Amino acid sequence: MKCDWCQAEGAQETSTTVYWELPDGTRAIEITETPGVSCPACGMEYQTDSVINELEDHLMIIDTKKLNKSTSYKELLKQPKLLKKNYFNFQE
């Protein structure tokens, strides 16, 4: 796999902890076991655009007031949706 940052081969899929600001800006939460990429060449750990979009879209359509300070990625995606989709994502 090629690193998006340094373009070196050898980047690997990994699972990381990220900290995400909620869409309403009231607080940030810890999201554990988030799919990501780790590059041994440059040391960068990051999430792909698809994971970022999935997180952002899901946080827009759930009741974030019910979220704990920390949750796993899988548990976050299991949260009941208030809307069918993120109607604020105009890139679709």
Side-chain angles (χ1 to χ4, degrees), residues 68-85:
N68 293 322
K69 291 180 181 182
S70 180
T71 187
S72 73
Y73 180 77
K74 288 181 181 178
E75 288 300 314
L76 176 67
L77 295 183
K78 287 181 184 176
Q79 294 294 313
K81 297 175 184 177
L82 300 174
L83 300 170
K84 290 181 183 177
K85 69 175 197 163

Side-chain angles (χ1 to χ4, degrees), residues 19-31:
Y19 299 89
W20 221 269
E21 184 177 355
L22 297 180
D24 64 5
T26 56
R27 63 189 174 111
I29 60 169
E30 176 185 66
I31 307 170

Side-chain angles (χ1 to χ4, degrees), residues 21-64:
E21 184 177 355
L22 297 180
D24 64 5
T26 56
R27 63 189 174 111
I29 60 169
E30 176 185 66
I31 307 170
T32 61
E33 302 171 34
T34 306
V37 177
S38 178
C39 177
C42 68
M44 192 63 149
E45 289 186 353
Y46 60 93
Q47 279 60 52
T48 61
D49 288 341
S50 62
V51 170
I52 292 169
N53 290 335
E54 186 173 34
L55 280 171
E56 293 287 334
D57 284 347
H58 200 71
L59 287 170
M60 288 293 290
I61 62 174
I62 64 171
D63 185 356
T64 57

